[in-house]
Amino acid sequence: MAKVAAQKRNGKASKPGYVLDEQIGFILRQVSQRHAVIFAREIGINLTPTQWAALSKLAEVGACSQNQLGRLTSMDVATIKGVIDRLTARGLTETSPDPDDGRRLLVSLTRAGQQMAEKVAPHAHAISKETLAPLDAKERETLIALLSRLR
């Protein structure tokens, strides 16, 4: 306590052992918040990031079980269920029995869902481009590679 008081009197503050602004979690959260603002502004349609993830993954891989879709989009069971329920209510996804396993339902895009995915994809590319805009091409490539290793 006396050391801190002496440092304050001398105008010297010691560097704390933990500086929040230098921590990866804090930096990632700030970058994620910036990306979310860009996403909300640019998506052009009433879609959340998780809804877009589900739509784009279904467009990429085709019909799959809800659990598999959750794994492919890194969403837990409750989250993916809510996402699919909302997309189905909007007529963008539908379920059908799995021909290989009658106990399982497959989730797929409706025609409207496929059209939505095709319409939104260019906006999603633009969002990624804007998020990474402060970096040059080599830095973007390096960042994506490094973050992919941390998954």
Side-chain angles (χ1 to χ4, degrees):
M1 196 69 118
K3 184 178 180 180
V4 172
Q7 288 172 338
K8 285 183 181 179
R9 280 193 304 271
N10 295 335
K12 297 178 187 175
S14 65
K15 183 175 179 178
Y18 186 91
V19 178
L20 182 63
D21 289 346
E22 296 172 358
Q23 304 309 311
I24 185 64
F26 185 68
I27 294 167
L28 288 173
R29 186 167 59 81
Q30 289 178 313
V31 171
S32 178
Q33 288 171 331
R34 180 175 164 268
H35 176 75
V37 168
I38 295 167
F39 182 93
R41 184 185 71 230
E42 298 297 327
I43 201 66
I45 288 181
N46 187 21
L47 282 178
T48 67
T50 53
Q51 290 171 345
W52 169 242
L55 283 177
S56 65
K57 188 53 79 171
L58 286 170
E60 179 185 337
V61 302
C64 63
S65 73
Q66 189 168 283
N67 285 341
Q68 177 66 13
L69 183 60
R71 287 189 295 277
L72 292 172
T73 57
S74 299
M75 289 184 230
D76 62 42
V77 173
T79 301
I80 192 64
K81 180 183 181 340
V83 167
I84 295 305
D85 286 350
R86 286 184 287 284
L87 291 173
T88 298
R90 291 178 62 185
L92 301 174
T93 58
E94 62 189 359
T95 59
S96 60
D98 183 337
D100 297 327
D101 184 347
R103 298 167 296 172
R104 181 174 27 206
L105 291 176
L106 297 178
V107 178
S108 60
L109 294 176
T110 61
R111 178 177 292 253
Q114 184 65 44
Q115 290 171 343
M116 173 81 73
E118 291 169 6
K119 179 181 178 183
V120 173
H123 296 278
H125 281 292
I127 291 163
S128 292
K129 185 176 179 181
E130 184 176 342
T131 298
L132 296 170
L135 306 176
D136 66 33
K138 182 66 177 159
E139 289 170 328
R140 288 190 296 269
E141 183 180 309
T142 300
L143 177 64
I144 296 299
L146 291 171
L147 289 174
S148 293
R149 286 179 51 194
L150 293 175
R151 283 186 183 162

